[in-house]
Short mmCIF file of all heavy atoms in Angstrom, two decimals:
data_model
loop_
_atom_site.label_atom_id
_atom_site.label_comp_id
_atom_site.label_asym_id
_atom_site.label_seq_id
_atom_site.Cartn_x
_atom_site.Cartn_y
_atom_site.Cartn_z
N CYS A 390 155.48 182.37 248.75
CA CYS A 390 156.01 181.52 249.81
C CYS A 390 155.82 182.21 251.16
O CYS A 390 156.26 183.34 251.35
CB CYS A 390 157.49 181.24 249.57
SG CYS A 390 158.27 180.36 250.94
N PHE A 391 155.13 181.53 252.07
CA PHE A 391 154.88 182.06 253.41
C PHE A 391 155.86 181.40 254.36
O PHE A 391 155.77 180.20 254.62
CB PHE A 391 153.44 181.77 253.84
CG PHE A 391 152.42 182.42 252.95
CD1 PHE A 391 152.06 181.84 251.73
CD2 PHE A 391 151.81 183.62 253.32
CE1 PHE A 391 151.12 182.43 250.89
CE2 PHE A 391 150.88 184.21 252.49
CZ PHE A 391 150.54 183.63 251.27
N ARG A 392 156.82 182.18 254.85
CA ARG A 392 157.80 181.63 255.79
C ARG A 392 157.31 181.86 257.22
O ARG A 392 157.02 183.00 257.59
CB ARG A 392 159.16 182.29 255.57
CG ARG A 392 159.76 181.84 254.24
CD ARG A 392 161.12 182.44 253.99
NE ARG A 392 161.73 181.80 252.82
CZ ARG A 392 162.75 182.29 252.14
NH1 ARG A 392 163.31 183.42 252.53
NH2 ARG A 392 163.23 181.65 251.11
N LEU A 393 157.24 180.79 257.99
CA LEU A 393 156.71 180.88 259.35
C LEU A 393 157.82 181.26 260.33
O LEU A 393 158.00 180.66 261.39
CB LEU A 393 156.05 179.56 259.76
CG LEU A 393 154.93 179.10 258.82
CD1 LEU A 393 154.31 177.80 259.31
CD2 LEU A 393 153.85 180.17 258.67
N TYR A 394 158.61 182.24 259.90
CA TYR A 394 159.66 182.80 260.75
C TYR A 394 159.89 184.22 260.28
O TYR A 394 159.38 184.62 259.23
CB TYR A 394 160.95 181.97 260.69
CG TYR A 394 161.32 181.46 259.32
CD1 TYR A 394 162.18 182.18 258.49
CD2 TYR A 394 160.80 180.26 258.84
CE1 TYR A 394 162.53 181.71 257.23
CE2 TYR A 394 161.15 179.79 257.56
CZ TYR A 394 162.00 180.51 256.77
OH TYR A 394 162.35 180.06 255.52
N THR A 395 160.64 184.98 261.08
CA THR A 395 160.80 186.39 260.74
C THR A 395 161.96 186.59 259.76
O THR A 395 162.81 185.71 259.61
CB THR A 395 161.09 187.23 262.00
OG1 THR A 395 162.34 186.77 262.54
CG2 THR A 395 160.00 187.08 263.04
N GLU A 396 161.98 187.73 259.12
CA GLU A 396 163.06 188.03 258.19
C GLU A 396 164.39 188.10 258.95
O GLU A 396 165.43 187.69 258.43
CB GLU A 396 162.79 189.35 257.46
CG GLU A 396 163.73 189.59 256.31
CD GLU A 396 163.23 190.62 255.32
OE1 GLU A 396 162.23 191.31 255.63
OE2 GLU A 396 163.82 190.73 254.24
N ALA A 397 164.32 188.57 260.19
CA ALA A 397 165.54 188.63 261.02
C ALA A 397 166.06 187.23 261.29
O ALA A 397 167.27 186.98 261.23
CB ALA A 397 165.23 189.35 262.33
N ALA A 398 165.15 186.29 261.57
CA ALA A 398 165.57 184.91 261.84
C ALA A 398 166.24 184.32 260.61
O ALA A 398 167.24 183.61 260.71
CB ALA A 398 164.37 184.06 262.25
N PHE A 399 165.70 184.64 259.44
CA PHE A 399 166.31 184.14 258.19
C PHE A 399 167.72 184.70 258.05
O PHE A 399 168.66 183.97 257.77
CB PHE A 399 165.45 184.57 257.00
CG PHE A 399 166.05 184.22 255.66
CD1 PHE A 399 165.98 182.93 255.17
CD2 PHE A 399 166.68 185.18 254.90
CE1 PHE A 399 166.53 182.59 253.95
CE2 PHE A 399 167.26 184.85 253.67
CZ PHE A 399 167.18 183.55 253.20
N GLY A 400 167.85 186.00 258.30
CA GLY A 400 169.14 186.65 258.10
C GLY A 400 170.17 186.27 259.14
O GLY A 400 171.34 186.07 258.81
N GLU A 401 169.73 186.13 260.39
CA GLU A 401 170.70 185.98 261.47
C GLU A 401 170.85 184.55 261.99
O GLU A 401 171.95 184.13 262.36
CB GLU A 401 170.30 186.89 262.64
CG GLU A 401 170.45 188.37 262.29
CD GLU A 401 169.53 189.25 263.14
OE1 GLU A 401 169.14 188.82 264.24
OE2 GLU A 401 169.18 190.35 262.66
N ASP A 402 169.75 183.80 262.04
CA ASP A 402 169.81 182.49 262.71
C ASP A 402 170.15 181.34 261.77
O ASP A 402 170.65 180.30 262.20
CB ASP A 402 168.47 182.16 263.39
CG ASP A 402 168.12 183.21 264.45
OD1 ASP A 402 169.00 184.03 264.76
OD2 ASP A 402 166.98 183.20 264.94
N MET A 403 169.88 181.52 260.49
CA MET A 403 170.06 180.37 259.59
C MET A 403 171.46 180.35 258.99
O MET A 403 171.98 181.38 258.56
CB MET A 403 169.03 180.43 258.46
CG MET A 403 167.63 180.07 258.93
SD MET A 403 166.51 180.04 257.55
CE MET A 403 165.01 179.53 258.39
N VAL A 404 172.04 179.15 258.93
CA VAL A 404 173.34 178.99 258.28
C VAL A 404 173.14 179.06 256.77
O VAL A 404 172.04 178.87 256.27
CB VAL A 404 174.00 177.65 258.67
CG1 VAL A 404 174.35 177.64 260.14
CG2 VAL A 404 173.08 176.48 258.33
N GLU A 405 174.23 179.35 256.05
CA GLU A 405 174.11 179.47 254.59
C GLU A 405 173.71 178.14 253.96
O GLU A 405 172.78 178.06 253.18
CB GLU A 405 175.44 179.94 253.99
CG GLU A 405 175.85 181.36 254.37
CD GLU A 405 174.91 182.41 253.81
OE1 GLU A 405 174.33 182.19 252.73
OE2 GLU A 405 174.76 183.47 254.47
N THR A 406 174.48 177.09 254.30
CA THR A 406 174.20 175.77 253.76
C THR A 406 174.31 174.76 254.89
O THR A 406 174.98 175.00 255.89
CB THR A 406 175.22 175.39 252.67
OG1 THR A 406 176.53 175.54 253.21
CG2 THR A 406 175.10 176.29 251.46
N VAL A 407 173.66 173.63 254.70
CA VAL A 407 173.64 172.60 255.74
C VAL A 407 175.05 171.99 255.86
O VAL A 407 175.82 171.99 254.90
CB VAL A 407 172.58 171.54 255.39
CG1 VAL A 407 173.01 170.70 254.20
CG2 VAL A 407 172.27 170.67 256.59
N ILE A 408 175.38 171.51 257.06
CA ILE A 408 176.68 170.85 257.26
C ILE A 408 176.70 169.58 256.40
O ILE A 408 175.79 168.77 256.48
CB ILE A 408 176.88 170.48 258.74
CG1 ILE A 408 176.95 171.76 259.57
CG2 ILE A 408 178.15 169.65 258.92
CD1 ILE A 408 176.96 171.50 261.07
N PRO A 409 177.73 169.41 255.56
CA PRO A 409 177.77 168.24 254.68
C PRO A 409 177.68 166.94 255.48
O PRO A 409 178.19 166.85 256.60
CB PRO A 409 179.12 168.35 253.98
CG PRO A 409 179.51 169.77 254.11
CD PRO A 409 178.90 170.28 255.36
N GLU A 410 177.05 165.96 254.85
CA GLU A 410 176.83 164.67 255.49
C GLU A 410 178.13 164.07 256.04
O GLU A 410 178.14 163.46 257.11
CB GLU A 410 176.26 163.73 254.43
CG GLU A 410 175.12 162.89 254.91
CD GLU A 410 174.62 161.97 253.81
OE1 GLU A 410 174.82 162.28 252.61
OE2 GLU A 410 174.04 160.95 254.18
N ILE A 411 179.21 164.25 255.31
CA ILE A 411 180.46 163.59 255.70
C ILE A 411 180.99 164.12 257.04
O ILE A 411 181.79 163.48 257.69
CB ILE A 411 181.52 163.73 254.59
CG1 ILE A 411 182.58 162.65 254.73
CG2 ILE A 411 182.17 165.12 254.58
CD1 ILE A 411 183.19 162.20 253.46
N GLN A 412 180.51 165.29 257.46
CA GLN A 412 180.96 165.84 258.73
C GLN A 412 180.05 165.46 259.90
O GLN A 412 180.26 165.91 261.02
CB GLN A 412 181.07 167.36 258.63
CG GLN A 412 182.16 167.78 257.65
CD GLN A 412 182.39 169.26 257.67
OE1 GLN A 412 181.44 170.05 257.56
NE2 GLN A 412 183.64 169.67 257.79
N ARG A 413 179.01 164.69 259.61
CA ARG A 413 178.12 164.31 260.70
C ARG A 413 177.65 162.86 260.56
O ARG A 413 176.56 162.50 260.97
CB ARG A 413 176.90 165.26 260.76
CG ARG A 413 176.21 165.44 259.45
CD ARG A 413 175.09 166.48 259.51
NE ARG A 413 174.62 166.80 258.19
CZ ARG A 413 173.66 166.12 257.55
NH1 ARG A 413 173.05 165.13 258.15
NH2 ARG A 413 173.30 166.45 256.34
N SER A 414 178.51 162.00 259.96
CA SER A 414 178.13 160.60 259.76
C SER A 414 179.10 159.64 260.43
O SER A 414 180.24 159.99 260.72
CB SER A 414 178.10 160.27 258.27
OG SER A 414 177.15 161.03 257.60
N ASN A 415 178.63 158.44 260.64
CA ASN A 415 179.49 157.34 261.03
C ASN A 415 180.41 157.07 259.84
O ASN A 415 179.95 156.70 258.76
CB ASN A 415 178.60 156.13 261.33
CG ASN A 415 179.40 154.87 261.55
OD1 ASN A 415 180.62 154.91 261.65
ND2 ASN A 415 178.70 153.76 261.64
N LEU A 416 181.72 157.22 260.03
CA LEU A 416 182.63 157.14 258.89
C LEU A 416 183.17 155.74 258.62
O LEU A 416 183.94 155.56 257.67
CB LEU A 416 183.79 158.12 259.07
CG LEU A 416 183.40 159.60 259.04
CD1 LEU A 416 184.63 160.48 259.16
CD2 LEU A 416 182.65 159.94 257.75
N ALA A 417 182.79 154.76 259.43
CA ALA A 417 183.33 153.42 259.19
C ALA A 417 183.09 152.96 257.73
O ALA A 417 184.03 152.48 257.09
CB ALA A 417 182.73 152.42 260.18
N PRO A 418 181.88 153.12 257.18
CA PRO A 418 181.69 152.69 255.79
C PRO A 418 182.52 153.52 254.81
O PRO A 418 183.02 152.98 253.82
CB PRO A 418 180.20 152.94 255.53
CG PRO A 418 179.57 153.16 256.85
CD PRO A 418 180.63 153.62 257.79
N VAL A 419 182.69 154.80 255.08
CA VAL A 419 183.47 155.68 254.20
C VAL A 419 184.93 155.25 254.19
O VAL A 419 185.56 155.12 253.13
CB VAL A 419 183.35 157.15 254.66
CG1 VAL A 419 184.26 158.05 253.84
CG2 VAL A 419 181.89 157.61 254.57
N ILE A 420 185.47 155.01 255.38
CA ILE A 420 186.88 154.62 255.49
C ILE A 420 187.12 153.29 254.77
O ILE A 420 188.08 153.13 254.02
CB ILE A 420 187.29 154.50 256.98
CG1 ILE A 420 187.20 155.87 257.65
CG2 ILE A 420 188.68 153.92 257.11
CD1 ILE A 420 187.30 155.82 259.17
N LEU A 421 186.18 152.35 254.99
CA LEU A 421 186.33 151.04 254.35
C LEU A 421 186.35 151.19 252.83
O LEU A 421 187.16 150.57 252.14
CB LEU A 421 185.16 150.14 254.80
CG LEU A 421 185.28 148.65 254.49
CD1 LEU A 421 186.52 148.05 255.11
CD2 LEU A 421 184.03 147.92 254.98
N GLN A 422 185.48 152.03 252.32
CA GLN A 422 185.40 152.25 250.88
C GLN A 422 186.68 152.91 250.34
O GLN A 422 187.22 152.50 249.33
CB GLN A 422 184.19 153.15 250.59
CG GLN A 422 183.69 153.07 249.19
CD GLN A 422 182.25 153.57 249.08
OE1 GLN A 422 181.79 154.36 249.89
NE2 GLN A 422 181.55 153.10 248.08
N LEU A 423 187.17 153.92 251.06
CA LEU A 423 188.39 154.60 250.64
C LEU A 423 189.57 153.64 250.63
O LEU A 423 190.36 153.62 249.69
CB LEU A 423 188.68 155.80 251.54
CG LEU A 423 187.77 157.02 251.36
CD1 LEU A 423 188.08 158.08 252.41
CD2 LEU A 423 187.93 157.61 249.96
N LYS A 424 189.68 152.85 251.68
CA LYS A 424 190.78 151.88 251.74
C LYS A 424 190.72 150.93 250.55
O LYS A 424 191.74 150.60 249.95
CB LYS A 424 190.68 151.06 253.04
CG LYS A 424 190.91 151.86 254.30
CD LYS A 424 192.38 151.89 254.66
CE LYS A 424 192.59 152.72 255.92
NZ LYS A 424 194.02 152.94 256.20
N ALA A 425 189.50 150.49 250.23
CA ALA A 425 189.35 149.57 249.11
C ALA A 425 189.69 150.24 247.78
O ALA A 425 190.07 149.58 246.82
CB ALA A 425 187.93 149.02 249.07
N LEU A 426 189.55 151.56 247.72
CA LEU A 426 189.90 152.30 246.50
C LEU A 426 191.40 152.60 246.45
O LEU A 426 191.86 153.32 245.57
CB LEU A 426 189.12 153.61 246.44
CG LEU A 426 187.63 153.48 246.12
CD1 LEU A 426 186.89 154.77 246.44
CD2 LEU A 426 187.42 153.10 244.67
N GLY A 427 192.13 152.08 247.42
CA GLY A 427 193.57 152.25 247.42
C GLY A 427 194.07 153.51 248.10
O GLY A 427 195.22 153.90 247.96
N ILE A 428 193.19 154.18 248.85
CA ILE A 428 193.60 155.36 249.61
C ILE A 428 194.09 154.86 250.96
O ILE A 428 193.29 154.59 251.85
CB ILE A 428 192.43 156.33 249.83
CG1 ILE A 428 191.58 156.52 248.57
CG2 ILE A 428 192.90 157.65 250.43
CD1 ILE A 428 192.19 157.35 247.49
N ASP A 429 195.39 154.72 251.11
CA ASP A 429 195.90 154.14 252.36
C ASP A 429 195.78 155.09 253.53
O ASP A 429 195.37 154.72 254.61
CB ASP A 429 197.36 153.71 252.17
CG ASP A 429 197.46 152.57 251.17
OD1 ASP A 429 196.54 151.74 251.16
OD2 ASP A 429 198.43 152.55 250.39
N ASN A 430 196.13 156.33 253.26
CA ASN A 430 196.11 157.32 254.34
C ASN A 430 194.80 158.12 254.30
O ASN A 430 194.74 159.20 253.72
CB ASN A 430 197.31 158.24 254.22
CG ASN A 430 197.52 159.05 255.47
OD1 ASN A 430 196.59 159.20 256.28
ND2 ASN A 430 198.71 159.58 255.64
#
Side-chain angles (χ1 to χ4, degrees):
Chain A
C390 173
F391 298 81
R392 290 181 171 163
L393 303 181
Y394 40 94
T395 63
E396 191 162 11
F399 175 78
E401 292 155 24
D402 300 350
M403 286 184 178
V404 294
E405 293 294 330
T406 53
V407 71
I408 296 172
E410 224 181 336
I411 202 149
Q412 295 187 309
R413 50 185 170 88
S414 298
N415 172 9
L416 294 183
V419 174
I420 296 168
L421 192 58
Q422 200 160 25
L423 287 174
K424 293 271 179 188
L426 287 165
I428 317 286
D429 294 325
N430 194 340

